[in-house]
Amino acid sequence: MCRTDGVPEPSEQGDEAVLDAAFTALLEDSADDLYESAPCGYLSTLMDGTIAKINTTLLAWLGLERAAVVGRKHFADLLTVGGKLYHETHFAPLLRMQGELHGIALEMRTADRGRLPVLVSSVVKHGSEGEPLLIRTTVFDASDRRAYEEELLRRRQDAERARAEAERARAEAESARKQAEADRERLAQALAVLQKSLLPDSLPALPGLETAVYYHTASPDQLGGDFYDLFPIDGDRWAFFLGDVCGKGPQAAALTSLTRYTLRAAAHHDPEPDAALTTLNAVLHERYTASGDPRYCTCVFGILETGTDDDHASIRLASGGHPPALILRADGRAEFLPTPGGMLVGALPTAPSTIAKTTLAPGDTLLLYTDGLTEARTGPTRDSLYGEDALLAFAADHAPAAPHAVITALTALLEGFGDGLNDDTALLALGVPAARPDTRPTTNQPR
């Protein structure tokens, strides 16, 4: 700052004195001292590379004595093997052609056999006639730069390794995913074949009657526990049953297989529904419950008889803890056929049941179903069961309806449940058509 009279403040005068002293010191530096003590290396060589002059800085870096270098060594002698090769094949030829090179990375050898990374710049000095006289070279210590570059390279390599490992992990995960999908597909195919073996391929054609069936498997990864069958007893009588075994998977499949074949054998021995269920109860209780591995099923078993009256069919049913059969009448009514007294089959040594009877007139349809239908979860939060009352109302809305129409409507209903349908579901419908029936076999189409 200045006072109002223009005379500098004392502090400013002191600063100028310091600056003057610094400049004076620089001016008093000799050219030789500046050359020898420069913060970089200097050397001059003849055109053949013989060192004619070298500064103290470079000698100190290399740990060499001046007398052992000047006039005794070539510039290339100060380089490592790789540096010397590069100097001979690239550096020297380019310098002769261009007259100057700047910032070339080389490595010099130190007296203790170490390596000094440097950046070299060289200029050819020419005479008055343009002839080359000597080469002036500056050498900058690039140790810090080399360390920085090596650190960058290391980090880049680390990043590339990390990327490669990530790619390898992704590839392995993708391979594992594809393998898992293939395994699931093979499992699903195997389960589908096994599931099909537990159900009839198709329903036989019943003279003067119509049949329809539907099967839904809740999980493609597990065998279903629902079962059904329809087969002849003699010319006028047909046995049919539908049920649900406890559990899922291979053990449920074994129980299903035993149940189906036991009921078939029992029906041919004594075609009364309650007798067939009694036989099944004894077999399951002895095979599982009595041996300490309780397993059971629910089942409804019936005998359908046409007799001499082709317009009607009589039915006798017995139930072992199974939901009641549902009848859709030709006059538009829908009603359950109660089967009181039925107990779970196989749970106890004896399981008494009573026979319920009904007659199907033209246009009437009998529906058997498993609890996957009535126990489907409904509502926005899936906290309500569909229930038998809703099923009865649904049937009343669709009556009268032939078996195929009933199964088609119920299939659409089941699909509407979405993820609320979390259990296997089997449907079997038998009916006397109002018109002449199509007696072609009905193929089972499990889902």
Side-chain angles (χ1 to χ4, degrees), residues 416-439:
F417 291 144
D419 59 4
L421 185 63
N422 53 15
D423 195 6
D424 306 322
T425 305
L427 306 174
L428 175 63
L430 311 170
V432 178
R436 185 174 181 83
D438 181 1
T439 58

Side-chain angles (χ1 to χ4, degrees), residues 53-136:
K53 191 175 182 181
I54 185 169
N55 74 341
T56 304
T57 300
L58 184 54
L59 289 171
W61 287 353
L62 300 179
L64 299 174
E65 296 294 333
R66 193 183 306 272
V69 174
V70 174
R72 296 178 178 273
K73 290 183 179 291
H74 292 74
F75 174 67
D77 296 332
L78 304 181
L79 303 176
T80 61
V81 174
K84 183 181 295 187
L85 180 62
Y86 182 84
H87 180 271
E88 293 174 353
T89 58
H90 291 77
F91 189 95
L94 286 174
L95 182 60
R96 286 193 296 269
M97 291 173 57
Q98 300 176 183
E100 58 180 338
L101 289 175
H102 300 282
I104 305 301
L106 296 172
E107 283 190 334
M108 305 186 81
R109 293 187 306 172
T110 63
D112 59 0
R113 298 185 178 275
R115 292 170 176 262
L116 176 67
V118 294
L119 293 176
V120 175
S121 297
S122 295
V123 176
V124 177
K125 180 182 178 181
H126 295 84
S128 58
E129 301 297 328
E131 73 279 12
L133 299 178
L134 56 84
I135 301 171
R136 289 173 176 168

Side-chain angles (χ1 to χ4, degrees), residues 106-445:
L106 296 172
E107 283 190 334
M108 305 186 81
R109 293 187 306 172
T110 63
D112 59 0
R113 298 185 178 275
R115 292 170 176 262
L116 176 67
V118 294
L119 293 176
V120 175
S121 297
S122 295
V123 176
V124 177
K125 180 182 178 181
H126 295 84
S128 58
E129 301 297 328
E131 73 279 12
L133 299 178
L134 56 84
I135 301 171
R136 289 173 176 168
T137 299
T138 58
V139 179
F140 292 90
D141 185 350
S143 299
D144 291 341
R145 175 171 176 166
R146 175 66 60 84
Y148 173 70
E149 291 174 346
E150 290 177 349
E151 177 65 15
L152 288 180
L153 179 60
R154 185 185 64 80
R155 294 195 177 189
R156 179 179 179 181
Q157 291 172 341
D158 290 344
E160 290 176 350
R161 279 194 296 269
R163 272 197 304 271
E165 291 176 359
E167 288 296 331
R168 185 165 54 252
R170 280 193 290 269
E172 290 175 353
E174 179 64 15
S175 176
R177 184 188 66 80
K178 291 181 179 180
Q179 183 61 47
E181 289 180 352
D183 291 343
R184 282 195 296 270
E185 180 64 22
R186 285 194 293 270
L187 175 61
Q189 292 175 355
L191 291 178
V193 172
L194 181 55
Q195 185 74 69
K196 187 176 181 180
S197 70
L198 298 175
L199 301 169
D201 291 334
S202 62
L203 297 182
L206 276 65
L209 297 171
E210 183 180 344
T211 62
V213 69
Y214 174 82
Y215 192 92
H216 167 81
T217 303
S219 171
D221 299 332
Q222 288 187 322
L223 291 169
D226 292 1
F227 60 90
Y228 62 86
D229 207 347
L230 172 65
F231 52 94
I233 299 298
D234 52 37
D236 297 326
R237 291 184 300 175
W238 298 77
F240 60 92
F241 58 80
L242 180 142
D244 181 7
V245 304
C246 65
K248 304 288 183 186
Q251 292 179 326
L255 179 57
T256 298
S257 179
L258 177 60
T259 297
R260 287 189 63 228
Y261 289 112
T262 298
L263 286 175
R264 273 180 166 263
H268 286 286
H269 177 71
D270 185 348
E272 286 302 313
D274 56 344
L277 291 184
T278 297
T279 299
L280 177 62
N281 184 83
V283 170
L284 296 187
H285 187 270
E286 179 182 359
R287 171 65 178 82
Y288 293 104
T289 305
S291 63
D293 182 23
R295 294 189 176 274
Y296 51 85
C297 70
T298 67
C299 182
V300 58
F301 185 98
I303 296 293
L304 183 148
E305 187 172 358
T306 56
T308 58
D309 187 354
D310 292 337
D311 292 336
H312 292 74
S314 62
I315 289 180
R316 301 192 307 280
L317 284 178
S319 174
H322 201 80
L326 180 61
I327 302 176
L328 286 74
R329 295 297 184 183
D331 59 8
R333 291 180 297 114
E335 59 186 8
F336 287 117
L337 179 61
T339 49
M343 300 179 62
L344 292 176
V345 181
L348 299 173
T350 59
S353 59
T354 58
I355 295 179
K357 299 179 181 180
T358 190
T359 299
L360 298 182
D364 290 347
T365 297
L366 175 75
L367 173 68
L368 304 181
Y369 54 93
T370 56
D371 59 9
L373 171 58
T374 53
E375 293 183 359
R377 297 284 177 174
T378 62
T381 58
R382 304 297 189 197
D383 56 357
S384 300
L385 298 181
Y386 183 65
E388 293 182 353
D389 291 341
L391 176 60
L392 182 61
F394 182 88
D397 289 339
H398 288 79
H404 283 91
V406 172
I407 296 301
T408 298
L410 287 174
T411 300
L413 174 67
L414 293 171
E415 291 175 348
F417 291 144
D419 59 4
L421 185 63
N422 53 15
D423 195 6
D424 306 322
T425 305
L427 306 174
L428 175 63
L430 311 170
V432 178
R436 185 174 181 83
D438 181 1
T439 58
R440 291 174 297 176
T442 301
T443 302
N444 171 30
Q445 297 179 343

